[in-house]
mmCIF file of all heavy atoms in Angstrom:
data_model
loop_
_atom_site.group_PDB
_atom_site.id
_atom_site.type_symbol
_atom_site.label_atom_id
_atom_site.label_comp_id
_atom_site.label_asym_id
_atom_site.label_seq_id
_atom_site.Cartn_x
_atom_site.Cartn_y
_atom_site.Cartn_z
ATOM 1 N N GLU Z 165 5.718 20.199 -35.194
ATOM 2 C CA GLU Z 165 7.041 20.838 -35.359
ATOM 3 C C GLU Z 165 8.141 19.905 -35.523
ATOM 4 O O GLU Z 165 9.084 20.091 -36.264
ATOM 5 C CB GLU Z 165 7.258 21.914 -34.249
ATOM 6 C CG GLU Z 165 6.489 23.117 -34.313
ATOM 7 C CD GLU Z 165 6.875 24.058 -33.116
ATOM 8 O OE1 GLU Z 165 6.176 23.802 -32.057
ATOM 9 O OE2 GLU Z 165 7.773 24.890 -33.301
ATOM 10 N N ASP Z 166 8.202 18.900 -34.620
ATOM 11 C CA ASP Z 166 9.278 17.904 -34.607
ATOM 12 C C ASP Z 166 9.268 17.083 -35.867
ATOM 13 O O ASP Z 166 10.351 16.393 -36.200
ATOM 14 C CB ASP Z 166 9.183 16.989 -33.426
ATOM 15 C CG ASP Z 166 9.457 17.741 -32.048
ATOM 16 O OD1 ASP Z 166 9.917 18.827 -32.236
ATOM 17 O OD2 ASP Z 166 9.220 17.121 -31.006
ATOM 18 N N ASN Z 167 8.194 17.011 -36.675
ATOM 19 C CA ASN Z 167 8.171 16.165 -37.824
ATOM 20 C C ASN Z 167 7.716 16.925 -39.108
ATOM 21 O O ASN Z 167 7.534 16.265 -40.070
ATOM 22 C CB ASN Z 167 7.068 14.998 -37.535
ATOM 23 C CG ASN Z 167 7.363 14.152 -36.391
ATOM 24 O OD1 ASN Z 167 8.209 13.356 -36.662
ATOM 25 N ND2 ASN Z 167 6.975 14.389 -35.186
ATOM 26 N N THR Z 168 8.022 18.237 -39.147
ATOM 27 C CA THR Z 168 7.948 19.032 -40.394
ATOM 28 C C THR Z 168 8.910 20.143 -40.280
ATOM 29 O O THR Z 168 9.591 20.180 -39.350
ATOM 30 C CB THR Z 168 6.347 19.677 -40.404
ATOM 31 O OG1 THR Z 168 6.363 20.570 -39.334
ATOM 32 C CG2 THR Z 168 5.363 18.620 -40.464
ATOM 33 N N GLU Z 169 8.823 20.976 -41.258
ATOM 34 C CA GLU Z 169 9.829 22.126 -41.187
ATOM 35 C C GLU Z 169 9.162 23.446 -40.662
ATOM 36 O O GLU Z 169 9.764 24.482 -40.610
ATOM 37 C CB GLU Z 169 10.298 22.392 -42.609
ATOM 38 C CG GLU Z 169 11.299 21.293 -43.040
ATOM 39 C CD GLU Z 169 11.966 21.538 -44.371
ATOM 40 O OE1 GLU Z 169 11.693 22.595 -44.966
ATOM 41 O OE2 GLU Z 169 12.609 20.713 -44.791
ATOM 42 N N ILE Z 170 7.971 23.107 -40.127
ATOM 43 C CA ILE Z 170 7.188 24.271 -39.507
ATOM 44 C C ILE Z 170 7.848 24.607 -38.255
ATOM 45 O O ILE Z 170 8.082 23.810 -37.330
ATOM 46 C CB ILE Z 170 5.781 23.801 -39.285
ATOM 47 C CG1 ILE Z 170 5.042 23.610 -40.688
ATOM 48 C CG2 ILE Z 170 4.914 24.779 -38.596
ATOM 49 C CD1 ILE Z 170 3.591 22.986 -40.579
ATOM 50 N N SER Z 171 8.005 25.941 -38.076
ATOM 51 C CA SER Z 171 8.582 26.441 -36.770
ATOM 52 C C SER Z 171 7.755 27.661 -36.312
ATOM 53 O O SER Z 171 8.015 28.142 -35.221
ATOM 54 C CB SER Z 171 10.140 26.698 -36.851
ATOM 55 O OG SER Z 171 10.193 27.705 -37.828
ATOM 56 N N ASN Z 172 7.010 28.179 -37.264
ATOM 57 C CA ASN Z 172 6.274 29.502 -36.780
ATOM 58 C C ASN Z 172 4.900 29.200 -36.309
ATOM 59 O O ASN Z 172 4.010 28.937 -37.134
ATOM 60 C CB ASN Z 172 6.215 30.378 -37.992
ATOM 61 C CG ASN Z 172 5.522 31.654 -37.852
ATOM 62 O OD1 ASN Z 172 5.334 32.051 -36.679
ATOM 63 N ND2 ASN Z 172 4.978 32.384 -38.905
ATOM 64 N N VAL Z 173 4.678 29.196 -34.989
ATOM 65 C CA VAL Z 173 3.380 28.876 -34.437
ATOM 66 C C VAL Z 173 2.717 30.161 -34.001
ATOM 67 O O VAL Z 173 3.251 31.017 -33.421
ATOM 68 C CB VAL Z 173 3.507 27.952 -33.221
ATOM 69 C CG1 VAL Z 173 2.161 27.736 -32.558
ATOM 70 C CG2 VAL Z 173 4.271 26.669 -33.553
ATOM 71 N N THR Z 174 1.370 30.273 -34.559
ATOM 72 C CA THR Z 174 0.691 31.573 -34.310
ATOM 73 C C THR Z 174 -0.630 31.294 -33.462
ATOM 74 O O THR Z 174 -1.162 30.309 -33.790
ATOM 75 C CB THR Z 174 0.447 32.306 -35.645
ATOM 76 O OG1 THR Z 174 -0.477 33.421 -35.244
ATOM 77 C CG2 THR Z 174 -0.382 31.504 -36.669
ATOM 78 N N ASN Z 175 -0.835 31.989 -32.383
ATOM 79 C CA ASN Z 175 -1.986 31.704 -31.604
ATOM 80 C C ASN Z 175 -3.031 32.774 -31.944
ATOM 81 O O ASN Z 175 -3.038 33.849 -31.630
ATOM 82 C CB ASN Z 175 -1.544 32.014 -30.161
ATOM 83 C CG ASN Z 175 -0.586 31.068 -29.705
ATOM 84 O OD1 ASN Z 175 -0.641 29.774 -29.883
ATOM 85 N ND2 ASN Z 175 0.412 31.532 -28.914
ATOM 86 N N GLY Z 176 -4.029 32.164 -32.782
ATOM 87 C CA GLY Z 176 -5.064 33.006 -33.434
ATOM 88 C C GLY Z 176 -4.494 33.958 -34.477
ATOM 89 O O GLY Z 176 -3.243 34.101 -34.694
ATOM 90 N N ARG Z 177 -5.318 34.676 -35.232
ATOM 91 C CA ARG Z 177 -4.913 35.639 -36.104
ATOM 92 C C ARG Z 177 -5.818 36.811 -36.008
ATOM 93 O O ARG Z 177 -6.957 36.704 -35.665
ATOM 94 C CB ARG Z 177 -5.061 35.048 -37.563
ATOM 95 C CG ARG Z 177 -4.109 33.933 -37.854
ATOM 96 C CD ARG Z 177 -4.150 33.452 -39.222
ATOM 97 N NE ARG Z 177 -3.317 32.347 -39.504
ATOM 98 C CZ ARG Z 177 -3.676 31.082 -39.287
ATOM 99 N NH1 ARG Z 177 -4.947 30.792 -38.948
ATOM 100 N NH2 ARG Z 177 -2.835 30.056 -39.434
ATOM 101 N N GLU Z 178 -5.212 37.989 -36.281
ATOM 102 C CA GLU Z 178 -6.040 39.261 -36.119
ATOM 103 C C GLU Z 178 -5.515 40.383 -37.062
ATOM 104 O O GLU Z 178 -4.251 40.460 -37.296
ATOM 105 C CB GLU Z 178 -5.809 39.873 -34.620
ATOM 106 C CG GLU Z 178 -6.761 40.939 -34.312
ATOM 107 C CD GLU Z 178 -6.481 41.551 -32.988
ATOM 108 O OE1 GLU Z 178 -5.363 41.188 -32.436
ATOM 109 O OE2 GLU Z 178 -7.235 42.479 -32.559
ATOM 110 N N GLY Z 179 -6.366 41.024 -37.741
ATOM 111 C CA GLY Z 179 -5.957 42.153 -38.606
ATOM 112 C C GLY Z 179 -5.534 41.713 -39.975
ATOM 113 O O GLY Z 179 -5.837 40.549 -40.386
ATOM 114 N N ILE Z 180 -4.882 42.597 -40.802
ATOM 115 C CA ILE Z 180 -4.434 42.241 -42.113
ATOM 116 C C ILE Z 180 -3.134 41.493 -41.921
ATOM 117 O O ILE Z 180 -2.032 42.066 -42.102
ATOM 118 C CB ILE Z 180 -4.276 43.536 -42.873
ATOM 119 C CG1 ILE Z 180 -5.438 44.529 -42.796
ATOM 120 C CG2 ILE Z 180 -4.062 43.162 -44.418
ATOM 121 C CD1 ILE Z 180 -6.731 44.112 -43.362
ATOM 122 N N VAL Z 181 -3.297 40.212 -41.752
ATOM 123 C CA VAL Z 181 -2.066 39.408 -41.526
ATOM 124 C C VAL Z 181 -1.402 38.875 -42.807
ATOM 125 O O VAL Z 181 -0.333 38.281 -42.704
ATOM 126 C CB VAL Z 181 -2.416 38.200 -40.587
ATOM 127 C CG1 VAL Z 181 -2.726 38.595 -39.136
ATOM 128 C CG2 VAL Z 181 -3.519 37.386 -41.210
ATOM 129 N N GLY Z 182 -2.113 39.065 -43.904
ATOM 130 C CA GLY Z 182 -1.484 38.666 -45.284
ATOM 131 C C GLY Z 182 -1.844 37.234 -45.409
ATOM 132 O O GLY Z 182 -2.544 36.489 -44.610
ATOM 133 N N LYS Z 183 -1.524 36.640 -46.675
ATOM 134 C CA LYS Z 183 -1.813 35.258 -46.981
ATOM 135 C C LYS Z 183 -1.179 34.302 -45.881
ATOM 136 O O LYS Z 183 -0.093 34.676 -45.505
ATOM 137 C CB LYS Z 183 -1.187 34.938 -48.404
ATOM 138 C CG LYS Z 183 -2.106 35.644 -49.448
ATOM 139 C CD LYS Z 183 -1.656 35.255 -50.836
ATOM 140 C CE LYS Z 183 -2.230 36.006 -51.878
ATOM 141 N NZ LYS Z 183 -1.752 35.864 -53.226
ATOM 142 N N ARG Z 184 -1.699 33.160 -45.772
ATOM 143 C CA ARG Z 184 -1.168 32.148 -44.849
ATOM 144 C C ARG Z 184 0.156 31.650 -45.381
ATOM 145 O O ARG Z 184 0.167 30.891 -46.465
ATOM 146 C CB ARG Z 184 -2.221 31.039 -44.672
ATOM 147 C CG ARG Z 184 -1.816 30.047 -43.566
ATOM 148 C CD ARG Z 184 -2.648 28.800 -43.715
ATOM 149 N NE ARG Z 184 -2.562 27.937 -42.521
ATOM 150 C CZ ARG Z 184 -1.435 27.201 -42.234
ATOM 151 N NH1 ARG Z 184 -0.527 27.238 -43.081
ATOM 152 N NH2 ARG Z 184 -1.552 26.415 -41.118
ATOM 153 N N PRO Z 185 1.236 31.759 -44.641
ATOM 154 C CA PRO Z 185 2.499 31.088 -45.068
ATOM 155 C C PRO Z 185 2.389 29.601 -44.856
ATOM 156 O O PRO Z 185 1.740 29.173 -43.947
ATOM 157 C CB PRO Z 185 3.614 31.605 -44.215
ATOM 158 C CG PRO Z 185 2.972 32.730 -43.358
ATOM 159 C CD PRO Z 185 1.435 32.499 -43.448
#
Side-chain angles (χ1 to χ4, degrees):
E165 284 180 275
D166 289 351
N167 292 284
T168 61
E169 287 182 6
I170 295 170
S171 58
N172 179 21
V173 179
T174 175
N175 296 315
R177 295 187 182 86
E178 190 188 6
I180 314 289
V181 291
K183 289 184 186 170
R184 184 193 196 286

